[in-house]
Amino acid sequence: GSWWLSMLFLNNYQILDKFCAGWTWYLSVDMQCFLVIPILAVLYKANRIVAYVALALTYCGCLASFFWVGYHYKMNTFSLADPSYTEWYMRAYTRAPTYLIGVFMGFVYLEYYNARIKGGDDSLVWRVTKIVRRSRITRFCLYAVGITFICLAIFGDYPNIKNPKDFSRNENVFFGVLSRSTFVVGFTLLFLPNLFGVTNFFSDLIGGRLWTIPARVVYATYLVHPMMLDLYVFSTQTYVAYTSTWVLYAVGAFVTMAFATGCIFSLAVEVPFMNMEKTFLLPAKKPQKESSKN
C-alpha cells in the first residue's frame, strides 16, 4: 500500500487491494470529520445562528451525497461482497452525518453550560432544559422515542438479512443512509436528560467507575481487535457451525482477548508516548505560591 496515504489520513480513499492494516481507514475518516470542527467553532464564536446554518447545510449535503452514491452503486445495506461498497461504506461524507449530530449536541451542551453558569437565561436550550428536568412525562417520551429509534436502526434491516431480495433498491438506500443517524438520534434522546443534569439509572450506568479502564484502552483495543479475528479465521481448519452458543462463546472470547491485548499495547506504547508528550511538549505547571500568613 501507499504508506503516505496512511500518514496523511487519506487511506480511506485508497484501492481496497492496496490496504495495509485495512481497518485503519476509520482513523482517516475520524480525522477528516474532525477537521470540520475548527471551522464550525470559529463560526459559532462569531455568530451562533450562522454556525447552526452551516452545520445544517453540511449535514444535508453529506446526506445528499450519500443518497446519490447509494443510488449510483445500487447499495445493498447487508452485503459487503460488492467491491463498490467502499464508495458508501468508507468515505468521510457518508460517515460525517452522525459525527455532525455530535457536533450539534456539543454546541447545545455549551449553551446549557453557559446558561447554568449564569444562573439561567431566556435561551431556547435553557427553556428546554427546565422542561426536561421538571417533567417526568417529557423524560419518558424521550426514553420511549430514543429506544424506538435505536431498535429501528438495529432491527429494521432484519427482513433484508433473512432474504436480501426483500428490500427494494429504494429501501436499501433509505435504510443505509438514515439508519446511522437514526441510531445516533435515538441514543442522544435516551441520554439527553442526563446531559441536562438529571441523575437516574442511565447516568449511573454510563458514569460508573466500571468503564474507567475500558475507556482508557478502547483505542488500542480497536487497533488490535481485527488481528484477533484474523488469527482465529485463518487458523481454523474446519467449517464453523454458527449456533447461538458458538456466537456467544466467540464474542466473549474475542472481546476478552482484544481488551487484554489492547491493555498490553496501551501500557507498552500509548502510555509512554503520552508521558513523553506531557514532559517535552506541554508547558510545565507553575508551582503555586504559598499564601502569606498575617
Side-chain angles (χ1 to χ4, degrees), residues 94-204:
T94 63
R95 295 282 179 168
T98 53
Y99 197 92
L100 294 174
I101 294 174
V103 176
F104 170 76
M105 290 308 303
F107 288 164
V108 169
Y109 182 76
L110 180 60
E111 292 192 26
Y112 159 73
Y113 179 81
N114 291 334
R116 189 183 65 178
I117 293 298
K118 297 176 183 177
D121 56 22
D122 294 329
S123 66
L124 176 62
V125 171
W126 187 251
R127 292 199 296 268
V128 172
T129 299
K130 291 191 293 184
I131 295 174
V132 171
R133 297 181 69 169
R134 294 175 182 175
S135 174
R136 291 185 178 181
I137 296 177
T138 301
R139 294 199 296 271
F140 177 80
C141 292
L142 289 174
Y143 298 147
V145 175
I147 293 174
T148 301
F149 277 18
I150 291 173
C151 290
L152 285 174
I154 295 175
F155 301 110
D157 202 22
Y158 181 70
N160 193 38
I161 295 174
K162 289 188 64 178
N163 186 3
K165 296 181 180 179
D166 281 353
F167 266 24
S168 65
R169 182 179 180 182
N170 290 341
E171 289 172 328
N172 263 297
V173 172
F174 270 86
F175 184 84
V177 173
L178 299 178
S179 59
R180 296 188 189 121
S181 292
T182 301
F183 179 86
V184 172
V185 170
F187 194 85
T188 301
L189 294 177
L190 194 62
F191 291 98
L192 187 62
N194 306 129
L195 191 70
F196 291 155
V198 177
T199 56
N200 54 19
F201 167 77
F202 294 113
S203 61
D204 295 337

Side-chain angles (χ1 to χ4, degrees), residues 1-11:
S2 300
W3 59 269
W4 59 272
L5 288 174
S6 298
M7 294 291 291
L8 296 176
F9 294 101
L10 294 173
N11 62 335

Side-chain angles (χ1 to χ4, degrees), residues 216-263:
R216 291 180 178 177
V217 302
V218 67
Y219 176 72
T221 302
Y222 165 76
L223 292 178
V224 301
H225 84 276
M227 300 184 216
M228 303 292 102
L229 298 175
D230 288 345
L231 179 64
Y232 173 79
V233 170
F234 292 111
S235 299
T236 302
Q237 299 180 0
T238 59
Y239 291 107
V240 175
Y242 286 92
T243 63
S244 299
T245 303
W246 181 89
V247 170
L248 291 174
Y249 164 78
V251 170
F254 290 144
V255 170
T256 302
M257 290 299 298
F259 269 98
T261 308
C263 186

